[in-house]
Amino acid sequence: MQHGEQSLEKPFDLAIIGGGINGAGIARDAAGRGMSVLLCEQGDLAQATSAASTKLIHGGLRYLEYMEFRLVREALIEREVLLELAPHIIWPLTFVLPHAKEMRPAWMVRLGLFLYDHLGGRKRLPGSRSLDLRRDRVGAPLKDDYRKGFSYSDCWVEDSRLVVLNALDAAERGAEVLTGTRCTQARRTDNGLWEVRTEPVDGSVHPRVIRARALVNAAGPWVTDVLRDVAGLNRPAGLRLVKGSHMVVPRLYEGDQAYILQNDDRRIVFAIPYERQFTLLGTTDKPWNDDAADVAIDDEERAYICRAVNRYFKAQVRPEDAVWSYSGVRPLYDDANENVSAVTRDYVFDIDGGEAEGTPPLLSVFGGKITTYRRLAEHAMEKLLPLMGQEGENRHAPRRWTATAPLPGGDMPGGDFEDFLAKLRSQRPWLPPELAYRYARAYGTRVNGLLGDAGGLGELGTDFGGGLYQAEVDYLVRQEFARTAEDVLWRRSKLGLHVPRDTEDRLREYLGGTTRADDEGMAAK
């Protein structure tokens, strides 16, 4: 630490570096156990990998092929749990799998879907079934070559909002959440604590030094950088970076079904209805060896996605059709598999120190997927508490509590979103139907905190365009840690796809700050 810097604050139980889904999930779990928590994120919540997913809560059908039965089972169980906890931002989605004779044989697909139906104790979602694509309406968008197919169910998730809601719940349970704040140094002290130095990225306030009984490194693609450059530890790397890119194109087909397309390299590409007017296509799998902050889709990936889609659909897609694209770097655990697509999506903890060693513990997270973030957080706490000597000190706090506690906005009776939406429209008849639907999906039962006593659109303040009103912007700043135009338009929502061209400039002026273009690792066309 710098000479003269002192920390007079009471030590936190837990300091967490990284505001993606794993960091936010661990913060929520720990805060709900009665622990004092500080979460430090150098950018915005969900600014990197967590906002660059395919936006699915799923078991990972293709992982069965790699014998990842435990991972798939855990993910399938979590699929149902999360659907109960957040029915506003998570909902069922039907997937159509056209059968291509030259790909996996039909019996193998049937077997995989049978396992998928039964491995995780499915309760709410429909089971798989065979399809005659010549007669079923879902076959209409596909080329006539594809006559047979299958359908199964998974769930959609608003990924960046899932991160924000976990951080919000953590904060409401007492955690301190710092965005735009970089952790520059972490060192163990002689009194059995971590001493952590944090600095606002914009230099608006002086650096701060806090102390913590344990440290979690959930920095995603930068996990090894934090180990080496922040904590000063020389640990085995254990990290494999894999780039995944997606394209968003004008809507390819009618209907609310998604498609899972088998490719000739034995990978799969999804086509998913997106933001009413669009179709989401992806993803790719490419090794990545550069800075994760500089990731963007390349021409090879665009061509790869288009080839896969054009193989199946009557409507053909060109790279230049993309209205938006985004890329992210998945921080996978390096299991030494030569096939990038076969690298495990399971998570692994690296633990350094602990009570037995007489040093405060550091837990680093490698790998993981958005579907299993809640179980990852539970497992992290189960690993940390004994190392902190806390198993006997927190008997007043619940051991496992997150499986039954709805996320903010998700406490709808029976998880019935349609009933909630109907009541919102009845209570606020002045809301245009599309705006009422978007508000209900984004904020759930918290929507009245945004709308307040408003009795008409004119009472929501400045109209920034595309259905974005001042009341929503103020709510996002006040409640959901938003600071910039990009936070509002691309992470708290996807309004960036819908608003007029001048909205971003007007919003930036209103918020009184400037931001870097594409600072979330996403590249607009």
Side-chain angles (χ1 to χ4, degrees):
M1 300 297 160
Q2 302 254 345
H3 178 68
E5 285 183 346
Q6 298 292 327
S7 175
L8 301 179
E9 300 178 59
K10 181 180 178 181
F12 289 90
D13 289 318
L14 193 62
I16 302 168
I17 301 172
I21 188 58
N22 291 333
I26 292 171
R28 178 185 186 236
D29 191 302
R33 295 173 190 254
M35 300 177 72
S36 57
V37 178
L38 180 135
L39 173 66
C40 180
E41 164 55 47
Q42 66 178 347
D44 183 28
L45 298 168
Q47 184 162 311
T49 305
S50 294
S53 76
T54 311
K55 309 183 191 312
L56 299 177
I57 296 295
H58 66 141
L61 179 62
R62 72 184 182 90
Y63 303 144
L64 290 175
E65 200 166 24
Y66 301 115
M67 313 299 282
E68 294 263 21
F69 297 116
R70 191 208 63 79
L71 174 63
V72 174
R73 173 175 165 76
E74 181 175 81
L76 288 171
I77 293 171
E78 282 302 287
R79 183 183 64 179
E80 301 256 349
V81 171
L82 296 178
L83 183 57
E84 295 273 359
L85 302 186
H88 51 325
I89 63 166
I90 300 173
W91 59 88
L93 190 60
T94 297
F95 286 82
V96 175
L97 195 165
H99 181 247
K101 295 178 181 178
E102 66 275 19
M103 304 293 182
R104 299 162 180 86
W107 68 264
M108 181 182 291
V109 177
R110 285 197 201 95
L111 176 59
L113 289 173
F114 177 84
L115 290 172
Y116 207 68
D117 281 343
H118 295 90
L119 201 56
R122 177 179 52 84
K123 298 175 183 176
R124 294 183 56 180
L125 299 178
S128 62
R129 62 190 183 94
S130 297
L131 301 174
D132 183 343
L133 297 177
R134 296 168 296 182
R135 298 184 179 183
D136 198 299
R137 64 172 183 81
V138 300
L142 300 171
K143 291 181 177 179
D144 294 338
D145 299 346
Y146 300 100
R147 301 180 178 184
K148 183 177 183 179
F150 306 89
S151 72
Y152 68 95
S153 298
D154 266 323
C155 290
W156 172 267
V157 63
E158 299 291 351
D159 52 6
S160 53
R161 289 205 59 75
L162 182 67
V163 178
V164 170
L165 294 184
N166 272 273
L168 173 59
D169 200 37
E172 291 180 347
R173 296 175 188 276
E176 184 173 349
V177 178
L178 302 177
T179 61
T181 304
R182 182 178 293 116
C183 178
T184 58
Q185 191 178 76
R187 293 291 184 268
R188 290 179 168 113
T189 65
D190 293 338
N191 56 357
L193 296 172
W194 281 99
E195 198 166 80
V196 181
R197 187 174 192 264
T198 66
E199 297 181 11
V201 173
D202 62 7
S204 57
V205 296
H206 293 298
R208 175 185 175 190
V209 178
I210 65 100
R211 296 174 295 160
R213 298 177 63 192
L215 183 63
V216 169
N217 173 12
W222 297 278
V223 62
T224 53
D225 296 343
V226 168
L227 278 169
R228 181 186 64 246
D229 301 332
V230 176
L233 298 176
N234 184 22
R235 303 287 290 178
L239 185 68
R240 189 164 181 179
L241 300 182
V242 176
K243 174 188 174 187
S245 296
H246 296 76
M247 291 169 52
V248 176
V249 300
R251 188 164 184 153
L252 279 179
Y253 56 86
E254 295 301 316
D256 55 6
Q257 72 279 2
Y259 293 85
I260 177 172
L261 311 174
Q262 299 179 85
N263 212 356
D264 49 17
D265 59 0
R266 300 191 71 79
R267 292 200 64 257
I268 54 96
V269 169
F270 290 105
I272 305 173
Y274 191 59
E275 289 290 310
R276 303 184 308 279
Q277 305 167 25
F278 306 100
T279 301
L280 175 65
L281 307 174
T283 180
T284 60
D285 266 335
K286 292 185 68 173
W288 186 256
N289 299 310
D290 298 322
D291 188 345
D294 297 330
V295 66
I297 193 170
D298 59 40
D299 290 342
E300 181 183 348
E301 289 175 302
R302 290 187 182 94
Y304 176 89
I305 292 172
C306 289
R307 280 197 306 272
V309 171
N310 292 341
R311 179 176 197 153
Y312 289 87
F313 283 96
K314 294 173 182 174
Q316 299 289 279
V317 177
R318 302 168 301 169
E320 55 267 32
D321 292 332
V323 298
W324 185 49
S325 61
Y326 64 88
S327 300
V329 176
R330 308 179 191 104
L332 305 181
Y333 176 69
D334 189 358
D335 60 3
N337 198 311
E338 293 182 5
N339 181 354
V340 171
S341 298
V343 176
T344 182
R345 268 54 176 175
D346 212 343
Y347 53 84
V348 174
F349 298 140
D350 177 82
I351 298 175
D352 184 87
E355 187 182 36
E357 299 178 29
T359 57
L362 165 63
L363 182 146
S364 297
V365 181
F366 291 80
K369 56 200 297 277
I370 199 165
T371 303
T372 53
Y373 87 88
R374 192 198 63 81
R375 287 292 288 135
L376 181 151
E378 279 188 341
H379 288 159
M381 296 311 303
E382 289 164 6
K383 293 287 186 182
L384 277 173
L385 287 174
L387 298 176
M388 298 168 68
Q390 292 211 162
E391 281 201 297
E393 297 180 24
N394 279 318
R395 296 190 186 279
H396 62 284
R399 283 294 179 228
R400 293 184 177 183
W401 66 275
T402 57
T404 55
L407 285 164
D411 52 336
M412 300 173 184
D416 191 335
F417 174 81
E418 294 301 328
D419 181 66
F420 172 77
L421 176 60
K423 289 178 179 176
L424 174 63
R425 285 175 169 164
S426 174
Q427 295 163 359
R428 310 270 185 166
W430 50 270
L431 278 175
E434 282 194 2
L435 188 59
Y437 179 84
R438 185 173 71 77
Y439 281 168
R441 274 293 180 209
Y443 307 107
T445 58
R446 298 289 180 101
V447 69
N448 288 326
L450 184 162
L451 295 172
D453 297 327
L457 289 176
E459 297 178 34
L460 297 182
T462 302
D463 180 359
F464 291 100
L468 178 63
Y469 290 88
Q470 181 180 340
E472 183 173 12
V473 176
D474 291 346
Y475 176 86
L476 292 174
V477 171
R478 183 175 68 250
Q479 295 290 330
E480 294 195 3
F481 315 100
R483 298 177 301 121
T484 71
E486 284 75 14
D487 297 350
V488 172
L489 296 175
W490 292 108
R491 286 180 285 275
R492 304 310 181 278
S493 73
K494 288 298 179 285
L495 286 170
L497 286 168
H498 305 287
V499 297
R501 289 183 178 273
D502 65 342
T503 294
E504 186 170 345
D505 289 337
R506 294 175 61 202
L507 185 56
R508 186 176 286 123
E509 182 179 1
Y510 176 74
L511 293 171
T514 58
T515 58
R516 289 185 303 144
D518 301 325
D519 65 353
E520 62 180 328
M522 298 184 178
K525 181 185 174 185

